[in-house]
Amino acid sequence: MKFFAEYPSSPNHISVSIEEAEKTNSSHIQFTTWRSTFGAGRIIDQSVLPEITKADGLICDISVPNENVFFEIGFALGQMKPIIPILNTSIQGAG
């Protein structure tokens, strides 16, 4: 299975943790991150949405509100993709 990971770019420790997990993941469930597909000058429709379409599901960090992440969750739900939400409760105001 291959999942696509969505998360806000800040706070920084969220993105660093997920991107390091992508590099060191040895699980049979693989995932790629939005940052590895999102090039300079590209928009969500050109880079992120095709990756969600190709993926078996979506991993998403919802610790802090982020409109892009919410949009991409809705897009994945519209395609009947499974969603794995992540919530870091150590972040003040998470949830």
Side-chain angles (χ1 to χ4, degrees):
M1 293 195 92
K2 184 154 185 158
F3 280 72
F4 191 70
E6 285 294 333
Y7 49 93
S9 57
S10 66
N12 190 48
H13 61 279
I14 291 175
S15 58
V16 168
S17 297
I18 294 172
E19 290 162 12
E20 284 300 315
E22 177 188 25
K23 293 176 191 172
T24 61
N25 181 22
S26 61
S27 170
H28 68 281
I29 298 176
Q30 297 298 306
F31 70 94
T32 56
T33 65
W34 69 265
R35 198 175 311 265
S36 65
T37 63
F38 194 73
R42 298 189 73 195
I43 58 174
I44 291 171
D45 291 355
Q46 295 172 329
S47 59
V48 174
L49 299 185
E51 294 298 322
I52 294 172
T53 299
K54 291 188 297 190
D56 296 312
L58 187 70
I59 299 169
C60 52
D61 187 289
I62 56 169
S63 301
V64 297
N66 182 281
E67 291 177 6
N68 287 345
V69 173
F70 294 155
F71 173 80
E72 290 140 6
I73 291 170
F75 182 81
L77 288 172
Q79 294 193 343
M80 306 299 288
K81 304 279 183 176
I83 308 295
I84 301 173
I86 300 169
L87 179 65
N88 185 340
T89 58
S90 69
I91 296 173
Q92 185 174 354

